[in-house]
Amino acid sequence: MFEQFHARRPVHPLAAFFCSLLSLAVGMVCAGSPWVFAYLTFLGAVYLTYGLYTALLYMTIGMGAFGIITGGITALMNGNLDRFWISPARCLVIGVCIVPMLAVPPALLIRCLNQMKLPRGVTLGMLITVRFLPTIWGEVSQIRAAMRTRGIDTRLNSFRWYRPSNLYRAFLIPLVMRTVNLSDTLSLSVETRGFDPAEREATVYHPVGFTRRDGIFVALTILAVAAMLAVRGGMGR
Amino acid sequence: MFRKFKAKDIIFLAVLAAVTTLFGALAMPVMRSELFGIQTLVTCLFYSLFAVIGLRKVGKPGSLTLFGLLTGFPLLFMAPVMFFNNFLGALLAEIIALGIFRSYEKSAAVVTGASLFMILTVPLSLPFSIWLNGSSYDHFIHGQAWQTALICLGVVVLSVAGTLLGLKVAGEMQKAGKLRPYGE
């Protein structure tokens, strides 16, 4: 999932999660202040230094454009352009602040959780959930192809596709059937390899360590957050 | 009351969570909408439908919480707040369902748990919505009262509809021998 966003040297997963959540919380609280753009610029510069280019570029362009469109529509409907910038600011806060998490490969997070002795069953489940999204999408495409061969138009603008009987019999039942079959095959494979969810001891092949580089990343995020809160507090007085 | 999860239980719930997450993407176009609860309204049918199938097949106490945790996990990367929303919703729904029925043997227990899962995420998302949109409680009660009430009602109706549809699907699958609860 989001392979194109993964950084070559990602930040420690827990540090990325902490920084994402903290910067997002403060960014949202301060989204009404024009200083939020300076805050986002600083965070963006930190992310660039840490090599999170792709995720930052995609999220800034995507969420920025989305914010401009939604803010523009709202402003046109209200006939007031004064507070137009708040919508793009909020969207950019969401887009920029989740960049560290987007750049973390899920496998790295799972390894980290394994090191923290989280139940192996839970970490296995998490890994399967993210890894199986493309597989399930492939299954959905196959089911739609099968529907087409049976004469059901699956184009999104076709009303036959949404007819409840078609949706239930030709889409939902095969999808659940495929899900059951997939999970049965996977269970068999996992059990054959001797996996036991109750077993807590596991060797992590590539342990994930918290380095000085990660510490600096957390410190810079806390600095940005503190500065933003200080500016907001100063403006409030 | 409590039974240990086997690898196949976890794997089934994980694959089902992936399917649910895929349908959860339908909420993408309304993700930034300021209408309270609209995101839940769009996705609740699918979440409750697949939750029922999961509970029907696994049916062990903790299944719904695990399902909530797994459906929330992909959201952790896109919207960390939504992860907690999903997880807490599932946990509370499970506590209520098991508190009343003790197990998932009865269909009523499955319906209660799966319906409440998404319904409970609505009040849970209120603080987040206020925080994300910069609104106040007053805004939802006075400013958007009709919309809020309508959307909440829609969530309840669609969640229950999803659950009933899920029961129908699960019933068919069980008849066909594809969804036999584990351990039987």
Side-chain angles (χ1 to χ4, degrees):
Chain A
M1 194 176 68
F2 305 127
E3 276 84 3
Q4 69 272 32
F5 295 151
H6 297 164
R8 200 168 290 167
R9 276 188 71 198
V11 185
H12 187 277
L14 294 186
F17 178 60
F18 170 75
C19 291
S20 277
L21 209 58
L22 182 72
S23 57
L24 183 68
V26 173
M28 278 300 174
V29 170
C30 304
S33 160
W35 282 96
V36 78
F37 291 106
Y39 170 70
L40 292 176
T41 309
F42 180 79
L43 286 178
V46 173
Y47 299 161
L48 281 179
T49 318
Y50 275 76
L52 317 178
Y53 317 105
T54 325
L56 184 66
L57 184 75
Y58 275 82
M59 293 316 288
T60 310
I61 293 173
M63 291 304 276
F66 187 60
I68 289 169
I69 293 166
T70 50
I73 293 169
T74 313
L76 285 174
M77 281 165 71
N78 297 337
N80 182 6
L81 282 166
D82 289 351
R83 309 275 289 165
F84 161 74
W85 58 272
I86 292 181
S87 181
R90 284 208 179 113
C91 287
L92 278 173
V93 166
I94 297 175
V96 172
C97 293
I98 63 165
V99 164
M101 266 319 276
L102 272 181
V104 171
L108 205 66
L109 178 62
I110 301 298
R111 271 184 227 148
C112 187
L113 294 175
N114 271 336
Q115 277 174 254
M116 290 168 66
K117 310 276 180 205
L118 204 80
R120 288 184 70 201
V122 176
T123 52
L124 173 80
M126 288 172 166
L127 200 59
I128 290 172
T129 306
V130 288
R131 284 273 179 247
F132 265 70
L133 285 173
T135 313
I136 300 293
W137 180 245
E139 294 294 337
V140 168
S141 307
Q142 277 187 14
I143 293 169
R144 286 182 66 186
M147 284 168 81
R148 272 197 298 274
T149 55
R150 289 151 78 187
I152 303 169
D153 192 349
T154 61
R155 281 174 300 186
L156 288 177
N157 59 357
S158 159
F159 285 104
R160 294 189 69 189
W161 158 236
Y162 301 108
R163 198 178 288 171
S165 58
N166 287 346
L167 209 57
Y168 178 75
R169 192 60 59 194
F171 183 77
L172 199 57
I173 296 284
L175 181 67
V176 178
M177 194 74 97
R178 283 300 299 145
T179 308
V180 173
N181 287 344
L182 261 174
S183 68
D184 282 350
T185 314
L186 195 63
S187 308
L188 207 64
S189 153
V190 164
E191 281 177 353
T192 310
R193 283 165 174 77
F195 178 87
D196 181 9
E199 207 173 49
R200 290 226 164 197
E201 284 303 317
T203 311
V204 179
Y205 190 55
H206 286 295
V208 186
F210 189 86
T211 59
R212 196 164 58 181
R213 181 177 176 266
D214 302 321
I216 295 169
F217 185 82
V218 175
L220 286 171
T221 308
I222 291 174
L223 183 73
V225 163
M228 187 66 232
L229 287 175
V231 169
R232 186 172 180 263
M235 283 172 77
R237 279 196 295 273
Chain B
M1 183 179 166
F2 290 100
R3 285 180 289 161
K4 265 188 179 176
F5 279 96
K6 292 176 184 165
K8 52 189 175 183
D9 300 332
I10 296 164
I11 289 168
F12 180 70
L13 288 175
V15 176
L16 209 60
V19 178
T20 315
T21 307
L22 210 64
F23 282 96
L26 287 174
M28 278 299 201
V30 291
M31 211 39 134
R32 273 293 300 139
S33 169
E34 289 189 8
L35 276 177
F36 174 66
I38 188 83
Q39 296 87 352
T40 314
L41 183 75
V42 175
T43 54
C44 63
L45 182 90
F46 304 105
Y47 272 78
S48 43
L49 193 160
F50 292 116
V52 167
I53 295 169
L55 289 179
R56 267 292 186 215
K57 175 126 172 140
V58 179
K60 292 176 180 171
S63 312
L64 191 59
T65 310
L66 186 60
F67 182 70
L69 180 77
L70 296 176
T71 49
F73 184 66
L75 299 175
L76 195 66
F77 298 90
M78 297 171 266
V81 177
M82 296 303 292
F83 164 75
F84 294 105
N85 203 6
N86 250 27
F87 177 58
L88 290 177
L91 183 67
L92 286 176
E94 178 127 55
I95 289 170
I96 294 170
L98 289 181
I100 300 170
F101 298 99
R102 303 277 164 203
S103 74
Y104 288 117
E105 273 173 38
K106 290 180 182 168
S107 293
V110 175
V111 170
T112 310
S115 304
L116 282 179
F117 170 34
M118 280 325 260
I119 293 170
L120 285 176
T121 59
V122 177
L124 282 172
S125 66
L126 186 63
F128 297 133
S129 186
I130 285 167
W131 164 51
L132 289 172
N133 296 325
S135 317
S136 63
Y137 283 99
D138 226 32
H139 177 68
F140 293 112
I141 295 164
H142 300 298
Q144 291 187 337
W146 271 107
Q147 290 168 355
T148 309
L150 217 63
I151 289 174
C152 290
L153 190 71
V155 170
V156 173
V157 171
L158 285 178
S159 294
V160 175
T163 315
L164 296 177
L165 186 63
L167 274 183
K168 190 173 154 56
V169 175
E172 276 202 36
M173 303 296 278
Q174 277 177 338
K175 246 186 234 168
K178 287 303 284 183
L179 206 71
R180 200 169 298 147
Y182 288 127
E184 280 186 16

